[in-house]
Amino acid sequence: MNPPERAPVLRVRDLVKEYGEGDARVRALRGISLDVERGDYLAIMGASGSGKSTLMNILGCLDIPSSGTYLIDGADVGRLDEHQLAILRNRRVGFVFQSFNLIPRMSALANVELPLVYGGVGQAERRARALAALEQVGLTDRVHHEPNQLSGGQQQRVAVARALVTAPALLLADEPTGNLDTASTGDVLAIMDRLSESGRTIVLITHEDDVAAHAKRVIRLVDGEVVEDRRQAPVDGPPPRLRPSEEAAVR
C-alpha cells in the first residue's frame, strides 16, 4: 500500500482581497488559486500595484483575504484565531524582508535566536540552532557583531538565518535583494539556490528578472490576477551541495 501523499505547503483557492467601500473600493486580488509543492522555489513577479505585496502578506498570515481559502502545511488559516495564527507564523513561516528588520544593539546571534525565544525554546538548544543557522549563511565569524557593524549583505544573511532557525515549512522572501549591491545580491541568491537544492520551499517576491531567474517557477500578476505561471530551469545549473551540518539544519 502506498503511503498517503503529503499536502502542498501552500494551497490557495479563489483568494480575493478588497480595500475600501463603494466607489472607493479596490480589488487588490481577484480570485487567485495556486498550489506550492514541497521543495518548490517560486518567484512571484509584477509591477507596482499588481497585488504581489498583498498576496505576500496573506501568504505570510500578516493579512486576511476578503474571501477564499488558504492552507499552509495543511492548516486552514481562515479557521485559526489570533493566538493560533501567531504560533503558525512563528513555527511554519520564515520571513526575509527587503529592509532586514534586525534589532539594533543586539548581536547577530541574538537576532537569530529571537524567533526561538518567542517559541519557548530553551537557551542551550536556542544557541545551538542559531549558531548552525549562521554557519549555514557563512557568518560564523560575525556572530557577536551588531547590525551596524555588518554590511548590508551580511545583515540580509543574518535575516535569512533568522528565517531558517525555526526550520519552517515555508521561506517567504519579500524583495530580499532590493537594498543590496551586485556582489551582496549574488551572495544572498547563492544561499537561496543552495537551500532550494537541499529541499527548502521558497516563495520570493521580486520585480527583477535576474532574481526570478534563480527560481524553478515564475508566477506573474497583473491587476490582482495570475497572467502567467511557468516552470523554468534555474540559472547556473545545480548549486553546490550544503555541508552535512547545513543539511541537518534544513531538515
Side-chain angles (χ1 to χ4, degrees):
M1 183 175 178
N2 294 328
E5 293 186 5
R6 298 182 71 184
V9 172
L10 295 180
R11 172 157 284 171
V12 172
R13 291 293 179 269
D14 301 319
L15 213 61
V16 172
K17 181 63 179 181
E18 297 179 340
Y19 297 98
E21 297 180 355
D23 293 341
R25 184 170 61 182
V26 174
R27 298 193 79 193
L29 299 179
R30 300 169 180 262
I32 289 179
S33 296
L34 63 93
D35 286 349
V36 178
E37 302 293 339
R38 296 178 191 281
D40 210 352
Y41 186 178
L42 169 65
I44 299 176
M45 302 191 72
S48 178
S50 64
K52 65 183 188 297
S53 294
T54 300
L55 180 59
M56 174 80 170
N57 287 337
I58 292 174
L59 296 182
C61 304
L62 301 172
D63 197 1
I64 58 174
S66 302
S67 63
T69 58
Y70 167 41
L71 279 69
I72 178 167
D73 210 20
D76 188 341
V77 175
R79 297 179 180 272
L80 304 181
D81 61 28
E82 284 298 323
H83 177 68
Q84 292 169 323
L85 274 175
I87 293 174
L88 184 143
R89 279 193 299 265
N90 179 264
R91 296 180 181 176
R92 301 195 193 182
V93 183
F95 295 95
V96 181
F97 299 100
Q98 179 176 347
S99 56
F100 318 142
N101 286 6
L102 301 179
I103 297 179
R105 296 182 296 281
M106 285 180 64
S107 68
L109 183 61
N111 267 283
V112 174
E113 283 186 277
L114 207 53
L116 301 178
V117 173
Y118 295 146
V121 177
Q123 184 176 6
E125 181 182 352
R126 197 167 69 220
R127 181 61 50 91
R129 288 170 63 176
L131 287 170
L134 284 164
E135 179 187 3
Q136 209 172 338
V137 299
L139 287 179
T140 53
D141 59 341
R142 295 289 189 271
V143 296
H144 299 300
H145 287 60
E146 296 179 0
N148 65 1
Q149 298 172 311
L150 301 172
S151 69
Q154 289 170 337
Q155 290 184 61
Q156 191 61 298
R157 285 152 64 190
V158 172
V160 172
R162 182 184 57 193
L164 294 172
V165 76
T166 59
L170 173 67
L171 182 64
L172 276 179
D174 188 5
E175 300 279 7
T177 61
N179 287 338
L180 303 181
D181 59 26
T182 301
S184 296
T185 291
D187 290 342
V188 170
L189 290 176
I191 291 169
M192 295 288 189
D193 292 347
R194 292 200 303 271
L195 292 170
S196 174
E197 177 68 10
S198 70
R200 177 70 61 192
T201 306
I202 303 171
V203 173
L204 178 149
I205 303 291
T206 184
H207 65 275
E208 299 179 23
D209 290 328
D210 290 348
V211 173
H214 287 255
K216 300 173 183 176
R217 176 184 175 195
V218 176
I219 284 178
R220 193 176 300 273
L221 300 182
V222 173
D223 294 334
E225 296 181 300
V226 175
V227 297
E228 181 182 30
D229 186 347
R230 60 180 170 83
R231 290 277 170 187
Q232 64 181 16
V235 297
D236 297 332
R241 297 292 299 178
L242 297 176
R243 296 189 295 273
S245 62
E246 294 176 322
E247 289 186 345
V250 167
R251 294 192 189 102

